[in-house]
Amino acid sequence: ADTAEAFRQGGAGVSADLAVASRPWGFQPREVSVPTYLWHGAADEDVPIAAARRMAQTIPNCQATFTDEGHLMGLHHASEAVEAIRRATAA
């Protein structure tokens, strides 16, 4: 259903997303020097859990949280993310 909705008005939006996602980032994840928080759902059918685990292992000081949820699990954990950012940036 998600894929059908993504293409409902044509493929231009999906094409633009893929073009942005495949561009070089301008840095390597191993170069990140600030505390980093990663949340990922093991049931995500769009981004494999293995990719998230590799990213978490590559980024220094990465605090990863893995749940049994799917791709939109971040919607359920937004308050946790905001609180983590608040704690990390507190003076």
Side-chain angles (χ1 to χ4, degrees):
D2 292 339
T3 302
E5 180 61 21
F7 284 96
R8 185 170 53 86
Q9 295 181 10
V14 173
S15 177
D17 284 352
L18 291 173
V20 168
S22 63
R23 285 187 206 150
W25 293 358
F27 67 94
Q28 294 296 316
R30 67 179 173 274
E31 298 170 345
V32 174
S33 62
V34 297
T36 304
Y37 302 88
L38 181 146
W39 282 268
H40 192 84
D44 188 333
E45 295 180 0
D46 298 323
V47 180
I49 187 82
R53 290 189 192 284
R54 270 193 314 276
M55 186 66 70
Q57 291 172 345
T58 302
I59 298 172
N61 301 312
C62 181
Q63 294 182 34
T65 300
F66 299 100
T67 72
D68 61 356
E69 298 163 281
H71 188 68
L72 298 178
M73 57 81 64
L75 298 175
H76 302 118
H77 297 276
S79 62
E80 292 173 56
V82 169
E83 185 55 33
I85 294 166
R86 189 183 326 268
R87 283 191 313 268
T89 59

